[in-house]
Amino acid sequence: MADNINLKELITDNSYNEILRVEADKIRRKYYGNKVFVRGLIEISNICKNDCYYCGIRKSNKNVSRYRLTESEIYSCCENGYNLGMRTFVLQGGEDLYFSDIILCRIVNNIKNKYPDCAVTLSMGERSYQSYKNLKSAGADRYLLRHETADICHYRKLHPMDMSLENRKRCLYNLKSLGYQTGAGFMVGSPYQTVDNIVSDFQFLRELDPEMIGIGVFIPHHYTPFRNYPHGDIELNLKLLSIARIMFPEALIPATTALGTVSPDGRERGIKAGCNVVMPNLSPLKFRKSYELYDNKICTGEESAQCIECLKKRVESVGYVLDMGRGDYIGKE
Ligand code: SAM
Ligand code: FES
């Protein structure tokens, strides 16, 4: 409990911001040096059976032009990324029922066979234990599934009744038990979020002990019920990233696209605050704008090669280096 009071104080008192940032940077340098790992993000489908109130591709948004990449389009994205030097591919999408275990396992298997030196990360939402098991056997290395909020009351304000926090958490524990490098996380400044909710998020993270942690500002999307809410506070986001780095020294923590969307130097500041991952977009240009989770999402107009060049400059401008390797979790000391 005393621990929680301290955490709450750290979160609310802005005089700690710089101290936390400096400490977080010291820790990341001790564990990962000045490396920032690259993950090629492939947004394979914007079709989703869920209706999360915050999300631009929720099923009730009838204004989205829906797409699903073909298998050959997915493989071309990987080829493009591989030729650019990337060694991790992240397949992300809405919960699109088309991607049965048979289809998704075949895709993972084909990518792993063609590029045995690469890691495959999935971010395809909630699936059964058996499904995660099948995908792991097919070669998937990592899975990203933000818990979004660890507080049940807050969870209910962000999601319709057919979704549950219990299942979200169960999925995360299943992923861990199956040996995935597992990613959890939450949005900063999502509607109705309180400081106590954030404390619960860190408590949950401590319990789960994930290898990857995604913490990014909420940004409203004009075709969602949360269209009139403000975006999350970037300073708070940066501070929470530093706290995450200090609590989880070995974690892989991305400087999110959302950070870069709310502030032109958001990702650079994220890196300085303790982040050690960036995720350039490898999706085909013609579909990028359709994977609009929130308004004004950046990097929807550039070729992947340009994205990499731009990120390289950004990362180097603050004294770090892009690392194109697989960038696996280094394990506990
Ligand atoms: N369907 C998968 C899942 O549920 O994990 C992956 C896709 S989902 C769009 C990926 C992440 O986008 C979510 O975990 C959520 O945190 C984030 N996201 C969705 N809407 C957002 C918004 N309006 N602002 C910031 N992040 C958002
Ligand atoms: Fe399904 Fe956002 S509601 S991906």
Side-chain angles (χ1 to χ4, degrees):
M1 190 64 196
D3 228 18
N4 295 340
I5 294 167
N6 289 340
L7 186 52
K8 199 167 170 178
E9 197 182 314
L10 287 181
I11 294 170
T12 42
D13 186 340
N14 284 338
S15 67
Y16 290 117
N17 292 14
E18 187 57 13
I19 303 168
L20 288 167
R21 193 195 68 71
V22 170
E23 183 60 21
D25 191 45
K26 209 155 78 189
I27 293 175
R28 67 77 60 73
R29 282 177 192 275
K30 175 173 168 209
Y31 287 83
Y32 285 102
N34 60 354
K35 288 180 189 167
V36 175
F37 299 112
V38 176
R39 319 301 197 199
L41 177 66
I42 309 172
E43 296 155 338
I44 68 173
S45 169
N46 71 353
I47 298 167
C48 189
K49 71 175 175 58
N50 292 335
D51 222 6
C52 308
Y53 301 142
Y54 45 83
C55 184
I57 60 169
R58 63 197 296 266
K59 78 167 172 203
S60 291
N61 183 359
K62 303 295 177 214
N63 299 294
V64 183
S65 147
R66 301 284 171 177
Y67 75 88
R68 176 187 297 129
L69 299 191
T70 61
E71 275 186 53
S72 65
E73 282 171 327
I74 296 173
Y75 303 140
S76 309
C77 293
C78 293
E79 192 176 340
N80 183 17
Y82 193 86
N83 291 337
L84 290 169
M86 294 176 194
R87 295 297 178 265
T88 290
F89 304 118
V90 181
L91 271 47
Q92 188 182 81
E95 289 195 18
D96 178 350
L97 296 173
Y98 170 83
F99 288 104
S100 63
D101 285 1
I102 293 178
I103 293 176
L104 204 50
C105 284
R106 184 172 65 218
I107 294 171
V108 170
N109 203 251
N110 284 339
I111 297 173
K112 291 292 288 193
N113 281 337
K114 182 145 187 219
Y115 308 108
D117 52 338
C118 291
V120 170
T121 305
L122 295 174
S123 177
M124 299 295 293
E126 297 170 26
R127 303 174 75 97
S128 67
Y129 178 86
Q130 189 57 47
S131 171
Y132 290 147
K133 192 169 177 201
N134 296 342
L135 291 164
K136 188 82 181 50
S137 306
D141 302 278
R142 311 181 187 138
Y143 206 103
L144 299 175
L145 186 79
R146 287 185 178 175
H147 63 277
E148 314 295 1
T149 174
D151 180 275
I152 181 76
C153 298
H154 187 216
Y155 184 91
R156 284 271 63 91
K157 291 182 171 153
L158 303 181
H159 304 92
M161 281 312 286
D162 61 345
M163 297 178 74
S164 82
L165 179 58
E166 192 192 355
N167 193 50
R168 195 85 180 169
K169 288 185 173 175
R170 185 182 319 124
C171 286
L172 282 162
Y173 284 111
N174 286 344
L175 289 163
K176 280 283 283 191
S177 75
L178 286 162
Y180 280 92
Q181 290 173 48
T182 303
F186 59 94
M187 286 178 287
V188 179
S190 55
Y192 310 104
Q193 185 182 52
T194 64
V195 175
D196 286 327
N197 294 157
I198 298 173
V199 171
S200 305
D201 287 322
F202 279 109
Q203 266 170 347
F204 173 68
L205 289 175
R206 194 150 46 184
E207 212 180 282
L208 178 73
D209 198 21
E211 287 77 17
M212 303 175 285
I213 300 174
I215 300 177
V217 275
F218 158 78
I219 304 173
H221 184 285
H222 59 287
Y223 284 130
T224 64
F226 291 159
R227 62 178 70 83
N228 292 324
Y229 284 83
H231 67 67
D233 177 6
I234 183 169
E235 302 302 330
L236 178 59
N237 192 163
L238 293 168
K239 174 155 62 177
L240 299 181
L241 288 165
S242 295
I243 293 176
R245 169 60 63 208
I246 294 165
M247 282 175 72
F248 304 91
E250 305 90 350
L252 293 153
I253 304 180
T256 61
T257 305
L259 258 183
T261 299
V262 290
S263 167
D265 64 349
R267 283 170 299 176
E268 290 89 321
R269 294 187 68 199
I271 290 163
K272 286 168 72 180
C275 294
N276 60 345
V277 170
V278 287
M279 297 175 70
N281 202 323
L282 274 182
S283 311
L285 265 185
K286 64 177 175 183
F287 295 123
R288 295 251 188 107
K289 290 233 184 295
S290 303
Y291 199 83
E292 198 189 43
L293 308 179
Y294 45 77
D295 289 341
N296 306 316
K297 185 172 161 221
I298 54 166
C299 305
T300 55
E302 288 103 42
E303 290 291 350
S304 312
Q306 284 174 285
C307 271
I308 275 281
E309 266 319 298
C310 159
L311 279 175
K312 187 167 183 282
K313 284 200 194 106
R314 286 174 184 275
V315 165
E316 287 174 1
S317 76
V318 281
Y320 301 82
V321 290
L322 267 198
D323 187 303
M324 301 298 280
R326 272 176 58 117
D328 282 299
Y329 183 71
I330 51 171
K332 300 248 181 257
E333 251 191 346

